[in-house]
Amino acid sequence: ADGSTSTLSLGTSGDVTVDTGNLVIGTADKGISFANAGDVGADETVSSSVLDDYEVGYATATITAGSAGGTVNLYNNHDTISYIKVGNLVTITGEIAVESITDSPSGQIQINMPFTGGDLTEVGDRFVGAIVTRNIPYTADVVSTCARMTTGLSYICIAQTIDNGQETHIGADVLAQYDEITFTITIMVA
């Protein structure tokens, strides 16, 4: 016993214990590899089995009305959204509230996100999540709503299905002061 304190130890069973501090990956694009796991999936590769990112954060949400113009302002105490990113999987959640509207926006509601939807295979890059709105009027033929994002986009829209099965998006022209939108969506990023 030389009086030193252990900071990292390797047990006889192969377990690594970090006694103080953090385990820091010092090389870009490296991480914790699960390549030897027994649950090999179709098209799994060594690089797809590496957990190389973990992040918890916040972002300021904004709403735009597509390319139709107009401005939707959010209350500054009701515009922060949060996210958790594990590898390339991101869950984004928040509640936003409309403070004011100028110049009569008419395009679809687009709630800007801190990440862009990844370009995955076939239609695996279409993401939906839960959404709850308060004070926003719907027509009588709407049977369901969801938060929706697709590949290459960095915003979600409010998709609604009407009783004939068609999908439409809610336009910013229905927004008014005090309207609230609460959502959670999980997406994959590139």
Side-chain angles (χ1 to χ4, degrees):
D2 61 6
S4 64
T5 302
S6 171
T7 58
L8 178 72
S9 59
L10 178 61
T12 57
S13 64
D15 293 339
V16 174
T17 302
V18 179
D19 296 313
T20 62
N22 296 312
L23 179 61
V24 178
I25 308 298
T27 307
D29 299 322
K30 299 296 180 189
I32 301 168
S33 176
F34 296 95
N36 292 327
D39 62 345
V40 178
D43 299 324
E44 184 175 352
T45 65
V46 170
S47 64
S48 70
S49 297
V50 174
L51 176 59
D52 62 356
D53 193 13
Y54 177 83
E55 178 181 346
V56 175
Y58 301 93
T60 301
T62 59
I63 292 181
T64 56
S67 59
T71 303
V72 179
N73 298 303
L74 301 176
Y75 283 102
N76 64 7
N77 64 347
H78 239 81
D79 65 352
T80 302
I81 58 178
S82 60
Y83 64 87
I84 298 174
K85 182 176 187 289
V86 180
N88 66 348
L89 193 65
V90 183
T91 298
I92 308 164
T93 187
E95 180 174 272
I96 58 178
V98 176
E99 180 178 25
S100 64
I101 297 171
T102 58
D103 299 329
S104 303
S106 60
Q108 75 177 8
I109 295 171
Q110 295 177 350
I111 305 169
N112 296 305
M113 297 285 107
F115 294 92
T116 300
D119 187 6
L120 307 174
T121 60
E122 298 180 9
V123 292
D125 49 16
R126 297 181 185 172
F127 312 102
V128 295
I131 197 157
V132 174
T133 61
R134 278 174 288 294
N135 304 322
I136 296 176
Y138 292 92
T139 58
D141 57 351
V142 173
V143 295
S144 68
T145 60
C146 68
R148 181 153 190 202
M149 179 189 273
T150 57
T151 184
L153 300 180
S154 57
Y155 62 83
I156 62 171
C157 59
I158 304 175
Q160 59 184 3
T161 303
I162 55 178
D163 59 11
N164 68 1
Q166 289 184 326
E167 180 182 295
T168 62
H169 297 98
I170 296 178
D173 57 325
V174 303
L175 290 175
Q177 186 179 24
Y178 308 119
D179 287 353
E180 294 180 1
I181 302 169
T182 306
F183 63 89
T184 298
I185 189 167
T186 299
I187 65 170
M188 293 186 77
V189 296

